[in-house]
Amino acid sequence: METPDGSRSPIFDTVEGERIAQAREDGWRRWGPYLAERQWGTVREDYSADGEAWSYLPHDHARSRAYRWGEDGIAGFSDEHQTWCLSLALWNGADPILKERMFGLANAEGNHGEDAKELWWHIDAVPSHAWQRMLYRYPQAPFPYEDLIAENARRRGRDEPEYELEDTGVLSGDRFFDVTVDYAKATPGEILMRVTIVNRGPEAATIHVIPQLVARNIWSWREGAPKPQITQETDAAIRAVHPVFEEMRFEALQPATWLFCENETNVRRLYGETAEGAFKDAINDHIVGGDPASLPRSGTKCAAWSVHELAPGESLSLRYRFAPPSVVPLDASSFDRLASERQEEADAFYAALQRGIADEDARLVQRRALAGLLWSKQTYRYNVKRWLDGDPAQPAPPKARLAGRNAEWTNLDNSEVILMPDTWEYPWYASWDLAFHAMAAAIVDPDLAKEQLLLLTREWYMHPSGQIPAYEWNFGDANPPIQAFAALRVFRMDRAATGKPDLDFLERLFHKLTINFTWWVNRKDSRGRNLFQGGFLGLDNIGVFDRSAPVPGGGTLEQADGTAWMAMYALNLMRMALELATRNPVYEDVATKFFEHFLVIASAMARVGRKEEDGDGNGLWNEEDGFFFDELVLPDGSEETLRVRSLVGLIPLCAVEVLDAGLADRHPDFARRLGWMLRHRPDLTGQVSHYEDRGQDARLLLSLLRAHRMKAILNRMLDETEFLSPFGIRSLSKAHAASPYTFDCDGISASVDYEPGTSTSGIFGGNSNWRGPVWMPLNVMLVEALEEFDRFYGDGLKVECPTGSGRMASLSEVAAELSRRLTGLFLKGGDGTRPALGGPAPRAADGSELILFNEYFHGDTGLGLGASHQTGWTALVALLLQKQG
């Protein structure tokens, strides 16, 4: 995507690129795949007293209970407010219920926590959503709901493997349907939906195809609220009228039976109340249960039902359209021709994006990763005050909620389309995750990336104190403050793509982030020593104890990663200020302020702490181990170094910025102040980098690490018996397999040992990845940090890579090697398999490979683990592939 200054990316010369450039003005983003695959079991639908969201609205209730804050469905498509929601339901004639939404285990049901138990793949997508494709694999035998629950309950220990859909035997002999759903937009408001079913099994099989249109329930929460209405207009079409949306028409281009019900809670089934009506599950009961009760001829939910028997290998395509009633008639051939045009436009878009990527397999992996990212956009609605208080037309929530989860976040009122990690295991945003998603999205849609970064700093998200919401299970927790890092990355990618710097974007974000930086300084430095206590900081389960809970013994945990994040934050804000100073020199003053902040934090990290024999402090640095560690400060003033070699000690590498030559010409005031600090405050500047040393092209290095310490850390990081795996950097040193770290304090004894797969620890819920596996986002940050160091050192500094190999490499060569290992998770190896898939890739009916992008990866084998559709942060592999090209 990099282009010469003043030019722009070739993607904008394509039809899809033109749509992106005008997406907001022309309405191309108004409709998209904004429906979650799971709304049940989420915090915002939880009105319990105990906050047990999974049990309050389980999967078994989902078909019968109206959702308050959103909708869900298979292969969903909706407008950005989820006014009207399209999705696909199916029935194989054997299941106990319609397949209307994805099934999985609740957190307490899975032996490794929550876990989707379905098979689906995101095949293709473009940023305007003018073309989308996904594939869902539906068994022909009864779906094994009870077997999956019971067997995973039997495998209660975390050392037992998860019991997956494939293990049940229902897919044996290829006895399943591959169901491909395509969406194509004829215009921004005219949606074409094509459903293609292939019988992959050896016998003829029957399938019921039931695309649905649902009006999100906006009327059950207050008396007198206006209600939408869906009525049959002709044998082929229904009419959809809404109080706040233009009239629409849903039509089937082949014969179908139209069924209607109300998108309302079935109080008869769930609560035993006497009530009449065709509730949310009435279509299910009519088709599956053969309910003789007649369905109404109108409602707020409808389905176009058709039944088909397919011979072995037979394929069937069904076509539907949702559009304003004024559109011209459309037949099947015109429909397919338009869909083919959109697919060809998508091909042209990706051809322009990938023109520098020669390897066909790398192009496939990148396109699939970006497809998953774009399919994981979700309309997220959550007004915390209304959620806490309850709705006037509903029973009052338990009063205990007013002092429970998110009670301090009554300012938060979300109603936007947000990039999610995925929309099943993570149908909610987290602040640092979203920053990573934005970096990946900037490859194909820089404007979207900028919007997403700005979003959480808006007043209806950001707390009045300046805190950015962490994630819906606890908005008040602390995620690493990487928004400024992501903003600079997106700013540069946008400038490279468009040929012009968006300083307005940078300025808007900069002002809000300075407020957030102040919140961190005031709230997370309890002893005023510029050493920070951020809490779990996203790295749940990485340490000896839960870093979100009170520290054992009543002490304070001074965190190497928390302090390094703050040093990096200061440098990022300094760089943002210098970018803004190119337009307004006033920002040079602010840049100086953040430079000073960095020096104070860096000096504290290097010096404050346990005293060594020479009388000088090493701070959080341990010279004997050549590594940074967390420090536990007990109430009596004694200190305990927690000598766990983990990502915590590698994150200081990320706090690095190189200032180019010519600084004095561009920013004379900042350069004068910088020079004064270098001359008059050696107590600060001398502890971090050798500022008096100039790198290649007279560049200046700002870093937490002198060359000696950096080499010591890299010696461990690049050691294949410690951090360096065949597929990236492990989250915990493999050395802890032979030498676990043990901690005893306040009657608590705990240990940390290397676990390359899913952790068996129950800390922080247990479904965690920080005891050894590879996690893509921090690996990408380490790659970029090494590239930044290389801008200073060039070939003047080389390290052994891997450690002990005798091969010396520059830091850019080390970065390239890490990138190669990371992308090797998904690219075909010499044996034709992809390590992340653990064997041969499953294939669609056309022979194409199906690729999943997991949450994290086994530290030795690279096998994908955790959430299986994690194309939010794991989509960063697309960024690495773009740079490699």
Side-chain angles (χ1 to χ4, degrees), residues 465-467 476 478 514-524:
S465 67
Q467 186 176 10
T514 58
I515 298 171
N516 178 247
F517 183 87
T518 302
W519 175 85
W520 274 90
V521 169
N522 290 338
R523 298 294 183 91
K524 294 296 182 179

Side-chain angles (χ1 to χ4, degrees), residues 792-808:
F792 178 79
Y793 288 111
D795 290 336
L797 188 148
K798 294 194 174 186
V799 296
E800 202 174 22
C801 180
T803 300
S805 68
R807 296 193 296 269
M808 303 304 292

Side-chain angles (χ1 to χ4, degrees), residues 1-2 10 350-360 362-363 366 880-885:
M1 193 145 172
E2 298 292 330
Y350 281 105
L353 176 72
Q354 299 176 331
R355 65 179 184 173
I357 303 177
D359 182 62
E360 182 180 355
R363 294 197 299 270
Q366 187 192 52
L880 296 176
L881 289 167
Q882 193 73 16
K883 291 163 65 175
Q884 287 178 6

